[in-house]
Amino acid sequence: MSHELRTPLAAVLGYAELLQEGIYGALPEKSLPILTRIRSNGNHLLSLINTVLDISKIEAGQFKLNVAEYALGSIVETVMVATESVAATKKLAFKTDVAKELSYGLGDEQRLTQVLLNLVGNAIKFTDAGEVRITAGATNGHFTVSVSDTGPGIPPEECEHIFEKFRQVDSSNTRAKGGTGLGLAIAREIVEMHGGRIWVESTLGQGSTFRMDLPVRAPITPGAA
Amino acid sequence: MSKRILIVEDQEDLRAILRDYLAASGYIVIESVNGADSVTKAASERPDLVLMDIQLPVLDGYDATRQIKALPGFAAIPIIAVSSFAMKGDEEKARGAGCDDYVTKPYGPVQLMRIIRGFLGDQL
């Protein structure tokens, strides 16, 4: 299924990139930013497809972890590199605070990266001024990871529901801020499959902190879920 | 003399994108649409590099890679696996079959070109 959905989109994105590279000849100057838009919309669609595929796998009970050794610090690094330019565009300060000498974790690095990317992406999206901060440490055989922002905060009655599918604090935000309302539901699934938990602490008007507590060694057999 | 690249890809559009880009970049492109044919083409066309899709009809990319690498004089010919799988184990499987590098779809053609030039020692 995933192959069938992604291949035509890969073709659209590939041809757009070649057009922009001038492989098919010089294009009018004005068409170049349009190709940039085609590509950024295509990449957005690709991430939506990936999200919907993840949810359908979860619902079918076919969501599997690819378990191996990972370094939490390098997950934070990957997420920072992927998001710092967006934070900079919004003039947000981006800070990371990773404890030194963390031991290697056992889990699905790619999926955990996806979780952190989702949390940081949300924090940047909903924060208009101030900072976004990732902290990572370890206590008692558990990694503790948090993503805090200085955004609008989440009403207390929403904090427990925000990890449910299609849940967004303000549905008018769906259009203004984008998103499917599925990212946090997938994040919770991934964290719980690792034997961990995820929650949010928030004060309206002051910001939110999403916290994860993950066993350093996920209680699952390597290579399988 | 222009270097020769064998593209093994069953999806017509993805093959066309690679062909157009590589040809525009001065390479001679040989195309193949399945694993078994890629082994025959490799033997007859002697490419300098192979781009190998993993999910292929007839013979998959892993087996095709093994067979091409076993051809006389092919041990040092770089084979780059191109896969839709993004699982860690799949990269190991591709490398285990003899692939020299591993790229997952969707890849940007520009990114792929950097890898190809790296292997062929051509100017970036």
Side-chain angles (χ1 to χ4, degrees), chain A residues 138-215:
Chain A
T139 44
N140 299 329
H142 285 243
F143 286 136
T144 51
V145 183
S146 71
V147 176
S148 352
D149 64 52
T150 52
I154 299 161
E157 67 274 15
E158 283 293 335
C159 285
E160 54 186 302
H161 296 297
I162 199 166
F163 294 95
E164 292 167 11
K165 270 179 284 181
F166 300 113
R167 195 78 179 204
Q168 288 182 316
V169 170
D170 178 356
S171 55
S172 63
N173 268 342
T174 310
R175 279 174 66 194
K177 303 278 187 184
T180 52
L182 293 170
L184 287 177
I186 296 170
R188 180 172 68 177
E189 184 72 23
I190 293 170
V191 169
E192 289 180 353
M193 283 176 83
H194 281 84
R197 58 190 194 100
I198 184 170
W199 70 101
V200 62
E201 295 162 2
S202 185
T203 309
L204 269 182
Q206 289 183 23
S208 307
T209 300
F210 283 81
R211 295 187 190 280
M212 268 193 282
D213 187 300
L214 276 176

Side-chain angles (χ1 to χ4, degrees), chain A residues 3 6-7 10-15 17-18 21 23-24 43 46 57 64 66 68-70 107 109-111, chain B residues 10-14 16-18 20-21 24-25 53 55 84 86-89 105-111:
Chain A
H3 196 46
R6 290 188 187 108
T7 299
V12 170
L13 288 168
Y15 282 124
E17 189 168 349
L18 294 198
E21 285 289 303
I23 299 299
Y24 300 109
N43 281 315
L46 185 65
K57 272 191 213 149
K64 299 252 160 58
N66 221 358
E69 299 263 327
Y70 69 90
E109 179 172 2
Q110 202 181 343
R111 291 300 186 182
Chain B
D10 60 323
Q11 301 284 335
E12 192 184 346
D13 281 309
L14 301 187
I17 287 166
L18 291 172
D20 292 353
Y21 195 20
S25 309
D53 186 22
Q55 283 179 303
S84 328
M87 301 286 187
K88 263 192 185 163
K105 293 178 189 173
Y107 51 80
V110 175
Q111 169 209 354

Side-chain angles (χ1 to χ4, degrees), chain A residues 49-58 63 111 114 186:
Chain A
I49 288 175
N50 288 337
T51 302
V52 171
L53 288 173
D54 282 351
I55 281 287
S56 58
K57 272 191 213 149
I58 289 170
F63 195 83
R111 291 300 186 182
Q114 178 184 350
I186 296 170

